[in-house]
Amino acid sequence: IFLLLGVGMTFIFQDVVSHSKKLNKKSKNQLQDMVTGEKQGIKGLSKERRKKLEAYQHLFYLLQTNPTYLAKLIFQMPQNKSTKFMDTVIFTLYNYASNQREEYLLLKLFKTALEEEINSKVDQIQDIVTGNPTVIKMVVSFNRGARGQNTLRQLLSSVVKDIMDDKSLVINTSPVEVYKAWVNQLEMQTGEASKLPYDVTTEQALAHPEVMNRLESSIQSLRAVTDKVLASIFSSLNLMPYGLRYISKVLKNSLHEKFPDATEDELLKIVGNLLYYRFMNPAIVAPDGFDIIDMTAGGQIHSDQRRNLGCVAKVLQHAASNNLFEGENAHLSSMNSYLSETYEKFRNFFQAACVVPEPEEKFNIDEYSDMVTLSKPVIYISIEEIINTHSLLLEHQDAIAPDQNDVLNELLLGLGEVPDVETFLGKKIQQTPQRETEHIKIIEKRAILDSKTPEKMKYSRSILEEGQLPLEQKKRKIQRNLRTLEQAGLVSSENKYQEIINEIAKDIRNQRRYRQHRKAELVKLQQTLNALNSKKAFYEDQINYYNTYIKTCLDNLTRNGNKLKNISLKYTAARLYEKGVILEIDELQPNQFKNVMFEITPGEEVGDFDIKAKFLGVEMEKVQLHFQDLLQMQYEGVSVMKVFEKAKVNVNLLIFLLNKKFYGK
């Protein structure tokens, strides 16, 4: 099934694209034509390939709506490959929970998989903490996406920035490091070597009153900044991603069911490991790596700033797990009462985090029940016919039933019973000249609106064409579509096609809700686009910064005094062979190397070198080497490279030769 997942998605798109190419080889934008064209893309697939496509639709539908399959199969993946697999296949299958239906289904998978993992792999309650559970990694990875990352940014950005901007803040809880800093300061102030030993143990460092005083000062500063971070965390409960809180609830309940003797404290520590240690802690330790703070191109966090943040994260980690400072951290035991007090606050926070509604309540699942609990997936042709039928009935309802006494107007107002299809399309809706005239006016009005609509936002060509049909033809088209849907088993004439009338009624009555959803999605998309543009600009600045930095380094390399050694070097292959630069040349014996001449000349760009090869005086080939590429190969441990596809060269000795002859090093 895993293989089918990956291959299936690839097949659908590749097959459609390849078929689109066959249909229109001259198209310069085949993918767009595939999506928007009437006869290209999926509609142009052969019968055999359409059946295969429908089979994959069934597969994906079943995997989405029945989480048991993936929940059991997830654990068959090797641990070292599971995270990458989840990101590339599982999240893609659920479209990264981009709408409520898919988020609901993904959460059901998380819940089922977590319960499966706890039941089959967790023998002791601490295994969740000491191990690296696959589902927990998956949950954290997902919630560190756009929505979770925004939460972390709102949660931590301000306090982390305050800590980093406080230049006077120096927190160091290591007695040995405090001792060494003190000794260095003494020597700098006096200009004389200190009589104190430089290498000491923790106990020896703590024996000095000055070290103890400095340590206590750091502890006071640490408590002050930790309080600020705590205040931000505890006030942010409503900002926490719903999915993360729900899985915390599932985690707590599942562990309680398997380990009924476990105390509330033990369960909440496990919840805290997920919510604080796995989700929040890494962002405090490395805010630059989690986009918590804005970094300028080439900017970096100073070692003192990172140590300050690391100390805060250490205290929060101990407090969240109610782990007091003992053993090698005994010198921080004065903070133990603070840790205990903070744990009680964390405990309340973790308890409150687990109080969330079930997904069915959160997402008002009745609204999505038609998408979530269908007994079988809708095949392709049925989707087409449903869309066409809905469009004809909804888009042109003013023409089909414009009078206030008509049943569709009652349906629009939410009055009375939902009508059956015979009433809807039967004798009551009679063809009249006045009705046809009204219909033409509506078509003209819609044509004007359509002309102002961006091309990518227009309806499909089939819907636009059907919109131009006379009223009577539209009615006959609706009736043909209903018969097609009945053959597919989606509606029934026995109950007068009540299924589709109910669906249309739901669409009409929920139009306001749909508009609100669309507006919310547009806001999210705009926010995502703005974030992507900002990130793109940042990375472009970084690229420019690093390119400038590299060019400056290369400029410095080429300066010998103020002038580049603009010379041309000539070596026989035999001489380079003696130096160890050349290791071998294909199809030539070492005794023939004297007949091969290499000429090395600086290129026009800094760091470029042109190398010409001659055999018996006849110029054979010319290549250009980039010094930066050689340095990169050296950094990556590549010791041998090929030049001219024939000569094997020692990378390190070639760099040494270029440095010596051209850079004076």
Side-chain angles (χ1 to χ4, degrees):
I1 290 179
F2 279 160
L3 179 61
L4 285 173
L5 273 171
V7 172
M9 293 183 197
T10 304
F11 158 77
I12 289 172
F13 293 110
Q14 288 183 346
D15 197 47
V16 169
V17 171
S18 65
H19 195 85
S20 179
K21 289 179 179 178
K22 293 176 183 178
L23 290 170
N24 187 5
K25 294 182 179 179
K26 296 182 180 180
S27 174
K28 293 183 179 179
N29 195 347
Q30 292 162 340
L31 183 58
Q32 182 174 352
D33 289 343
M34 177 198 74
V35 175
T36 60
E38 180 69 15
K39 296 302 182 183
Q40 295 187 32
I42 294 177
K43 284 195 173 185
L45 293 177
S46 65
K47 182 178 180 181
E48 180 183 352
R49 292 185 177 276
R50 181 174 292 195
K51 285 183 178 180
K52 190 178 293 186
L53 175 61
E54 290 174 4
Y56 278 114
Q57 287 177 332
H58 282 263
L59 171 66
F60 295 151
Y61 176 88
L62 290 173
L63 290 173
Q64 263 199 343
T65 56
N66 189 339
T68 305
Y69 301 122
L70 290 178
K72 289 184 177 296
L73 285 172
I74 280 171
F75 309 114
Q76 304 303 316
M77 291 293 296
Q79 283 283 330
N80 60 339
K81 295 182 180 179
S82 59
T83 299
K84 183 178 180 181
F85 175 79
M86 302 310 167
D87 289 345
T88 56
V89 178
I90 298 293
F91 294 160
T92 304
L93 178 63
Y94 290 93
N95 197 23
Y96 286 83
S98 60
N99 60 46
Q100 290 189 336
R101 172 192 181 268
E102 286 157 347
E103 184 175 1
Y104 167 81
L105 292 172
L106 182 58
L107 284 176
K108 299 299 285 185
L109 171 63
F110 285 161
K111 176 180 184 294
T112 305
L114 182 57
E115 291 172 344
E116 174 72 20
E117 187 161 20
I118 288 174
N119 288 332
S120 62
K121 291 195 171 184
V122 177
D123 298 322
Q124 298 179 7
I125 194 169
Q126 283 300 312
D127 289 348
I128 292 289
V129 175
T130 57
N132 201 8
T134 302
V135 180
I136 295 297
K137 286 194 299 181
M138 186 182 2
V139 169
V140 173
S141 174
F142 173 73
N143 283 285
R144 284 216 186 107
R147 285 171 292 181
Q149 191 275 330
N150 288 336
T151 296
L152 285 173
R153 190 176 177 91
Q154 288 179 283
L155 177 70
L156 300 172
S157 178
S158 179
V159 290
V160 167
K161 191 173 184 302
D162 288 344
I163 294 173
M164 294 178 59
D165 289 345
D166 188 350
K167 304 301 181 183
S168 64
L169 181 63
V170 179
I171 301 175
N172 196 335
T173 58
S174 169
V176 173
E177 290 183 11
V178 171
Y179 171 84
K180 290 181 178 180
W182 171 50
V183 172
N184 289 338
Q185 184 180 9
L186 287 176
E187 292 180 340
M188 290 175 62
Q189 289 174 345
T190 62
E192 298 178 358
S194 172
K195 296 180 180 179
L196 295 170
Y198 192 73
D199 293 320
V200 294
T201 64
T202 298
E203 290 74 16
Q204 290 170 332
L206 291 171
H208 296 274
E210 180 64 23
V211 173
M212 292 294 295
N213 291 336
R214 293 187 177 215
L215 196 60
E216 186 58 34
S217 177
S218 284
I219 290 174
Q220 294 301 321
S221 299
L222 179 56
R223 289 184 58 167
V225 295
T226 302
D227 281 337
K228 293 180 182 179
V229 179
L230 285 169
S232 180
I233 291 175
F234 295 149
S235 64
S236 68
L237 182 61
N238 292 332
L239 296 176
M240 295 287 287
Y242 165 77
L244 189 66
R245 294 180 60 184
Y246 174 67
I247 295 303
S248 297
K249 173 183 176 180
V250 172
L251 176 63
K252 182 172 180 287
N253 292 341
S254 299
L255 288 174
H256 178 66
E257 184 176 343
K258 181 158 186 179
F259 304 101
D261 295 332
T263 64
E264 185 74 1
D265 274 354
E266 288 177 313
L267 296 175
L268 289 175
K269 286 179 184 178
I270 305 298
V271 171
N273 179 263
L274 169 59
L275 291 179
Y276 173 74
Y277 181 70
R278 293 181 184 270
F279 182 62
M280 299 183 197
N281 190 73
I284 297 176
V285 175
D288 49 338
F290 290 88
D291 202 24
I292 301 303
I293 56 173
D294 295 321
M295 299 290 292
T296 58
Q300 58 183 352
I301 297 180
H302 191 270
S303 58
D304 289 341
Q305 294 173 318
R306 201 173 294 280
R307 186 182 61 242
N308 291 344
L309 293 171
C311 289
V312 172
K314 180 179 179 180
V315 171
L316 291 174
Q317 181 184 341
H318 277 257
S321 59
N322 197 24
N323 184 17
L324 302 182
F325 287 128
E326 299 171 339
E328 63 180 16
N329 292 316
H331 59 280
L332 298 176
S333 59
S334 61
M335 292 194 70
N336 283 344
S337 59
Y338 176 78
L339 293 178
S340 298
E341 294 170 5
T342 304
Y343 166 70
E344 291 301 321
K345 298 176 184 178
F346 262 127
R347 188 179 187 278
N348 295 334
F349 178 79
F350 298 148
Q351 275 184 321
C354 293
V355 181
V356 288
E358 290 295 310
E360 289 79 3
E361 303 170 36
K362 167 70 176 178
F363 298 124
N364 189 16
I365 204 60
D366 287 341
E367 178 185 347
Y368 302 96
S369 59
D370 58 328
M371 295 182 287
V372 175
T373 60
L374 285 174
S375 60
K376 62 179 180 179
V378 180
I379 62 175
Y380 175 76
I381 189 169
S382 300
I383 293 176
E384 179 183 353
E385 298 302 336
I386 286 175
I387 290 174
N388 288 341
T389 307
H390 272 223
S391 299
L392 287 169
L393 290 173
L394 288 175
E395 293 296 324
H396 308 289
Q397 48 87 13
D398 288 337
I400 295 175
D403 299 332
Q404 291 185 354
N405 294 328
D406 281 333
V407 291
L408 187 54
N409 275 286
E410 294 180 7
L411 190 150
L412 283 166
L413 295 172
L415 303 173
E417 296 295 326
V418 176
D420 59 62
V421 76
E422 288 187 354
T423 305
F424 193 46
L425 297 173
K427 296 180 180 180
K428 188 170 183 180
I429 305 176
Q430 296 295 327
Q431 183 78 359
T432 65
Q434 180 183 359
R435 195 180 296 280
E436 188 64 48
T437 301
E438 187 70 25
H439 175 53
I440 293 173
K441 289 181 180 179
I442 292 172
I443 291 177
E444 292 173 349
K445 181 179 178 181
R446 291 186 180 278
I448 294 172
L449 291 175
D450 185 66
S451 66
K452 300 177 181 178
T453 303
E455 194 64 32
K456 292 182 179 180
M457 297 179 65
K458 289 182 179 179
Y459 291 106
S460 69
R461 196 173 303 166
S462 62
I463 293 178
L464 291 174
E465 290 175 354
E466 287 171 352
Q468 307 299 318
L469 294 174
L471 186 57
E472 190 62 32
Q473 290 187 32
K474 287 182 180 177
K475 291 170 60 179
R476 286 198 295 269
K477 176 69 174 177
I478 291 172
Q479 291 167 342
R480 286 198 302 270
N481 287 350
L482 289 172
R483 286 194 292 271
T484 302
L485 293 174
E486 184 172 17
Q487 291 174 0
L490 296 173
V491 298
S492 172
S493 59
E494 294 182 0
N495 63 0
K496 301 178 181 180
Y497 307 105
Q498 194 66 32
E499 296 89 350
I500 197 164
I501 294 297
N502 291 341
E503 293 303 315
I504 294 170
K506 184 185 295 184
D507 280 346
I508 295 172
R509 288 171 175 166
N510 288 332
Q511 280 182 359
R512 180 171 174 271
R513 183 178 295 175
Y514 295 155
R515 282 194 295 269
Q516 291 174 339
H517 286 166
R518 286 196 296 271
K519 288 180 180 179
E521 290 300 318
L522 283 173
V523 171
K524 289 181 182 178
L525 287 172
Q526 189 60 53
Q527 290 174 344
T528 302
L529 180 61
N530 293 339
L532 288 173
N533 288 334
S534 176
K535 185 66 69 176
K536 177 185 176 183
F538 170 72
Y539 285 130
E540 286 176 347
D541 287 344
Q542 276 199 322
I543 290 171
N544 293 334
Y545 173 85
Y546 288 130
N547 285 339
T548 302
Y549 175 77
I550 290 171
K551 187 176 184 302
T552 302
C553 292
L554 291 173
D555 286 341
N556 291 335
L557 280 174
T558 59
R559 290 191 178 92
N560 182 17
N562 291 321
K563 296 179 70 175
L564 171 69
K565 289 186 177 181
N566 193 10
I567 59 176
S568 178
L569 296 180
K570 294 182 179 180
Y571 289 98
T572 63
R575 179 60 178 150
L576 293 176
Y577 182 69
E578 291 175 7
K579 289 177 172 288
V581 177
I582 287 183
L583 302 176
E584 63 179 67
I585 301 176
D586 294 348
E587 301 177 0
L588 281 182
Q589 297 298 321
N591 59 6
Q592 296 177 296
F593 285 4
K594 61 184 178 182
N595 297 321
V596 180
M597 178 67 70
F598 290 100
E599 182 179 353
I600 306 174
T601 308
E604 295 181 2
E605 296 293 329
V606 175
D608 290 349
F609 294 92
D610 295 323
I611 303 180
K612 298 178 182 178
K614 294 181 180 179
F615 183 71
L616 295 175
V618 178
E619 187 169 321
M620 303 297 293
E621 295 183 66
K622 177 181 177 180
V623 297
Q624 187 176 74
L625 288 180
H626 304 286
F627 195 71
Q628 185 65 27
D629 292 341
L630 295 175
L631 293 175
Q632 181 67 29
M633 284 189 280
Q634 185 184 57
Y635 174 77
E636 293 174 354
V638 178
S639 57
V640 178
M641 64 175 287
K642 265 199 169 186
V643 181
F644 305 113
E645 297 298 326
K646 293 182 179 180
K648 287 187 178 180
V649 175
N650 184 303
V651 174
N652 293 323
L653 294 182
L654 178 59
I655 291 174
F656 178 82
L657 177 67
L658 296 176
N659 270 329
K660 181 179 179 181
K661 297 298 182 180
F662 291 99
Y663 300 133
K665 297 187 177 183

